[in-house]
Amino acid sequence: MEINKKAQDSPSLMESRLAPLLLFGHGEAGDKFLYSIPSRRQLTAAAAAFVDLIGHYSWITPRGWVLTLQPAGRRGGGDAPAEAFLRDPFSSRRVPLPPPDEEISGLAAKALGGGDDDAAWCVLSHDAADPRCVVVVVHPTEPVLFYCRPGPGDSAGRRRWLRHEYQPEAIIAPANHDDDDDLDAIVIESMGWLTASGGKLFADLEWSGKMATLEFSPSPATPTLASAPLAMVPCPAWCNHWNSSPVDSRGELFVVHFRNSLLCQRTVLLVQVHRLDSTRRAWVKADGLGSNRVFLVTSQFGVSMAADEAGLEENCIYFTKSEDKGLYVYDVGQGTTALYDPGEDIPDSMEPILLMPVS
């Protein structure tokens, strides 16, 4: 294990060249730690500022933007109105969103109390500057989606948050599942991994052999949610399926599978990468990540970046594991994994969150 020394002079918080970053201790009492993946060093002075910037009422998106929903009365005096916006965590640049209504504000209020069960999922269909962008918030426990287009909204009701309630049984028929009582919860959990790729949003319902697709064209007022068969990736008999993460890479959808030992769930024995073949409706094995590409995968989401722009090794997957501070680097071409220690003073079981530069 490589031990990385702390930076003697912590760089400015706003230097996006230090990203991607790992933030340790977010949402927990006690010390906070910030680790720059490209420079492989801990940033001693910036962690607290990032924690203040990204509070419990915010959600980090795969595009780097942070969605902030502030309930009424949260700012200043008790009569402050509710507000919503996207924020670039490195420059503090904001993109206004329509004010949230009581129901979506309630998600933010619940999240203020912490806990994974209250963690709403947010995803952007395109970059925030793209006129086609739709901001989607997936309710963590109910079959409900909230969505809007970036913009402040006005008194006429244009640019407002809309609500869509979907039917889990329309995505996965109860007859295709062994335990009908858990069907809704399983579908809702899978929707919490919605991944934007090519202007659409996808949820891999791998346990059922289906893929759900969410579209917002031609109008965001009429979302279309449908599912279609998708051949599953077989799991070797000597492994359990531990975790998988969808990754959009330049408009193509990939999935990274981590297979663990039958005897030890913390030991990753196999990393597999597959690419979606929409014509064959199947995942096909990917020999590599593509020219100048690197993937980063955490329990939050998976993302793809240009390796040279990120200052990282191409054709590698940088990943973290549950309740583990380690940063793992899997070389797809060599089939080898390296482990880096982000700091001796970080507790071994402290799992980080990933902070990305906005795209």
Side-chain angles (χ1 to χ4, degrees), residues 14-15 114 141 145 153 158 164 194 237 263 268 308 346-347:
M14 303 309 172
E15 293 184 18
T141 57
L145 306 173
R158 295 186 292 268
H164 176 70
L194 273 177
L263 301 178
V268 177
D308 57 356
I346 300 176

Side-chain angles (χ1 to χ4, degrees), residues 9-131:
D9 297 311
S10 296
S12 168
L13 169 66
M14 303 309 172
E15 293 184 18
S16 60
R17 66 178 177 80
L18 297 171
L21 303 175
L22 295 178
L23 176 60
F24 295 84
H26 173 68
E28 300 178 9
D31 294 333
K32 317 296 180 184
F33 307 92
L34 196 65
Y35 176 78
S36 170
I37 298 177
S39 63
R40 293 183 185 171
R41 60 179 176 176
Q42 195 177 133
L43 310 180
T44 57
F50 263 109
V51 170
D52 290 339
L53 187 67
I54 306 168
H56 292 288
Y57 47 81
S58 299
W59 294 274
I60 302 168
T61 73
R63 295 185 182 274
W65 291 99
V66 178
L67 170 67
T68 296
L69 297 176
Q70 293 189 342
R74 180 67 184 171
R75 295 173 294 111
D79 58 348
E83 68 171 342
F85 52 87
L86 298 172
R87 187 190 323 213
D88 178 347
F90 294 91
S91 69
S92 292
R93 178 166 55 107
R94 292 189 180 191
V95 175
L97 299 176
D101 60 18
E102 291 185 4
E103 187 173 14
I104 195 171
S105 292
L107 290 181
K110 286 184 65 179
L112 287 171
D116 293 340
D117 292 340
D118 298 325
W121 171 253
C122 178
V123 62
L124 279 61
S125 64
H126 300 77
D127 181 68
D130 193 311

Side-chain angles (χ1 to χ4, degrees), residues 3 20 23 25 88 97-98 121 124 148 153 159 163 177 180 204 220 231 264 298-300 304 326 337 351 354 357:
I3 303 298
L23 176 60
D88 178 347
L97 299 176
W121 171 253
L124 279 61
C148 70
R159 298 279 191 191
R163 185 183 192 275
H177 192 260
D180 296 348
D204 185 8
C264 180
T298 70
S299 60
Q300 301 163 267
S304 168
T337 301
E351 181 182 357
L354 179 65

